[in-house]
Amino acid sequence: QVQVEELGGGLVQAGGSLTLSCTASGLNLDDYVMAWFRQAPGKEREGLSCITWYGGHTTYADSVKGRFTISRDVTKNTIYLQMNSLKPEDTAIYYCAARYWPICSVVTGVWRSGTWGQGIQVTVSS
């Protein structure tokens, strides 16, 4: 059974940092891409960053470029999202997803066929 699970959410003050992790199980990730998304209350789900499992090529949304960094550990089937200079508007539920596809995208619509985690809450206090 294919699963992805996010860890590392919580409460952080504005200006602080937080690292999320996402571990995938039940699949061979060689031909997969994995990505991070978030959804704030009353807003649509937003794609943040994507990484190819083969080669580790990355893509970022403009909204987080320069503040968030995605990475992977192939030995642990895990990706990470290092979030720096956090702002109250970064408060959201953060989701991880895996998709069988060789090319990264942060366009949420193309991830309908992906495997999604249940999401974790990140709250940034002002």
Side-chain angles (χ1 to χ4, degrees), residues 34-120:
M34 294 187 70
W36 288 99
F37 302 79
R38 69 185 178 190
Q39 188 164 17
K43 295 188 176 181
E44 293 186 353
R45 191 166 297 189
E46 174 190 15
L48 303 177
S49 185
C50 179
I51 188 165
T52 64
W53 202 253
Y54 182 80
H57 304 290
T58 59
T59 303
Y60 293 92
D62 289 342
S63 60
V64 301
K65 198 175 294 184
R67 294 193 302 128
F68 291 9
T69 302
I70 192 170
S71 62
R72 79 199 194 298
D73 185 335
V74 298
T75 66
K76 298 180 179 179
N77 270 17
T78 298
I79 66 168
Y80 303 92
L81 187 68
Q82 171 70 40
M83 304 184 292
N84 298 324
S85 302
L86 283 163
K87 309 172 183 178
E89 51 264 44
D90 292 317
T91 295
I93 298 175
Y94 283 68
Y95 297 89
C96 170
R99 181 174 179 241
Y100 184 75
W101 199 253
I103 301 171
C104 258
S105 171
V106 292
V107 176
T108 306
V110 305
W111 284 82
R112 291 192 190 94
S113 60
T115 298
W116 290 77
Q118 292 192 333
I120 49 172

Side-chain angles (χ1 to χ4, degrees), residues 26-38:
L27 48 79
N28 182 343
L29 288 170
D30 285 348
D31 296 317
Y32 277 73
V33 293
M34 294 187 70
W36 288 99
F37 302 79
R38 69 185 178 190

